[in-house]
Amino acid sequence: RDSEYVDRIQNTYGFKPHYYFFHGWAALDWFRGYNRSFLMQPYNERSITRTFIAPNRIVAGERNHRLVMLYHIFKSGMLNNHISCPAVCPAENVAIEHAVQDLVNRYPDVEEVFDAQQFPIEFANETGAPMHSYQLSLFTESAESLLYLVTETVATGRRKHLTEKTFKPICLKMPFMIVGTCGSLRYLRSYGFRTFGDLWDESYDDELHDDQRIEKIAFTLRAIDVLPAHEKQRLFNMAQEICEHNYNHFYSGGFESILWNELTEMINDF
């Protein structure tokens, strides 16, 4: 939504844009049935030992905002969390030490920060940065984590582009932060979901500057990361009313009803 690329085509050719939330439908399809499973530990039985989980697979090229987020994580000493990053980006086929060179002008010490890490950084029982787009996974790591750090596909520019990644923590009954474009949380709330501004600072969502938005996320993560374990557990417990709402909204038809209305209106507008 609100895509500068769509505007360019519209202004050039006079096309009329029609919009529906494709990735919302994809998530409903891909993650159906998990609410009938016992793969994820019940939230009232979870013992929080980490601040966040942050899976990262394609990290180069147009998705190097994930390297920017990892740069702040590494530099802030938050390696004690559940993080993944390949040694070679599987889509761009470029080694991480080469991929970060594109960031040197913005972060002069980025090569030094990444050189201090041992790649690949992998989750237990994983090798080769497997693709998990169409399924829920990492149940053990997620059950230990206070929140899910969603590094979305698009995090620069104007358009709102949430994918199935945003719905993974919702289906796992987890709090989340989104590394996305400005207004991503607001966009998600417009579909009936709730976020966590009463528990931590979500003002990053209003930050127009892409790098500064990621820096604000890193600052908030670090503030939570230094809390004692019992405080993280308390935050997790306080978040559960929102997590339950989001889970039920996804699995009990509320979200699907909104998507149907949107799709119907779009079709009727032809």
Side-chain angles (χ1 to χ4, degrees):
R1 178 175 290 173
D2 196 27
S3 170
E4 54 268 56
Y5 303 107
V6 172
D7 284 355
R8 190 179 307 155
I9 293 173
Q10 181 184 4
N11 293 334
T12 301
Y13 301 105
F15 294 161
K16 181 179 179 179
H18 297 276
Y19 171 84
Y20 74 100
F21 193 174
F22 167 81
H23 282 99
W25 286 108
L28 284 172
D29 180 32
W30 287 348
F31 305 150
R32 70 185 186 275
Y34 283 95
N35 57 322
R36 310 278 183 195
S37 74
F38 300 93
L39 293 167
M40 188 63 176
Q41 188 176 16
Y43 63 76
N44 58 351
E45 297 178 9
R46 298 180 203 175
S47 179
I48 302 304
T49 60
R50 312 293 175 98
T51 302
F52 61 88
I53 178 172
N56 296 277
R57 182 172 175 267
I58 301 174
V59 295
E62 292 186 353
R63 304 183 198 184
N64 69 3
H65 55 274
R66 293 172 179 161
L67 293 178
V68 176
M69 188 71 248
L70 286 168
Y71 163 78
H72 289 295
I73 288 172
F74 297 154
K75 190 168 181 177
S76 299
M78 293 190 282
L79 270 168
N80 58 314
N81 293 286
H82 288 304
I83 301 162
S84 68
C85 180
V88 177
C89 177
E92 304 288 341
N93 196 30
V94 58
I96 296 304
E97 61 264 30
H98 296 144
V100 298
Q101 291 174 0
D102 293 339
L103 305 175
V104 170
N105 288 340
R106 289 146 61 192
Y107 302 100
D109 62 341
V110 66
E111 291 178 296
E112 177 185 348
V113 169
F114 274 79
D115 284 346
Q117 315 308 321
Q118 184 71 41
F119 296 101
I121 302 174
E122 296 175 320
F123 296 117
N125 304 315
E126 279 195 352
T127 57
M131 185 182 73
H132 290 178
S133 299
Y134 59 91
Q135 64 186 26
L136 298 182
S137 58
L138 304 171
F139 299 104
T140 299
E141 293 85 352
S142 296
E144 295 174 347
S145 303
L146 165 58
L147 64 90
Y148 200 116
L149 181 63
V150 179
T151 50
E152 263 295 358
T153 300
V154 176
T156 59
R158 193 187 74 197
R159 64 179 164 143
K160 311 298 183 291
H161 185 88
L162 298 182
T163 69
E164 83 290 335
K165 299 173 188 65
T166 288
F167 296 100
K168 289 191 173 189
I170 288 172
C171 295
L172 294 168
K173 289 189 179 180
M174 292 181 66
F176 51 84
M177 295 183 188
I178 299 179
V179 182
T181 55
C182 176
S184 290
L185 294 179
R186 186 167 60 252
Y187 175 55
L188 184 64
R189 289 194 295 266
S190 74
Y191 284 89
F193 295 98
R194 294 167 59 188
T195 60
F196 303 90
D198 290 338
L199 299 180
W200 49 71
D201 184 9
E202 288 187 338
S203 65
Y204 68 85
D205 194 52
D206 298 320
E207 175 57 58
L208 295 173
H209 190 282
D210 296 328
D211 284 344
Q212 290 178 17
R213 187 166 55 257
I214 294 177
E215 289 167 13
K216 287 185 175 182
I217 293 171
F219 182 85
T220 300
L221 276 178
R222 179 59 180 163
I224 299 172
D225 197 53
V226 299
L227 292 174
H230 72 273
E231 284 295 319
K232 294 178 187 178
Q233 186 72 52
R234 186 180 68 86
L235 279 174
F236 181 77
N237 295 341
M238 291 173 64
Q240 286 318 304
E241 189 267 330
I242 297 176
C243 293
E244 188 74 19
H245 164 84
N246 289 340
Y247 182 88
N248 290 333
H249 186 59
F250 184 89
Y251 278 117
S252 297
F255 181 41
E256 183 177 0
S257 177
I258 293 171
L259 292 181
W260 271 119
N261 289 336
E262 176 184 74
L263 184 60
T264 301
E265 289 177 6
M266 184 269 285
I267 293 172
N268 290 336
D269 195 37
F270 271 103

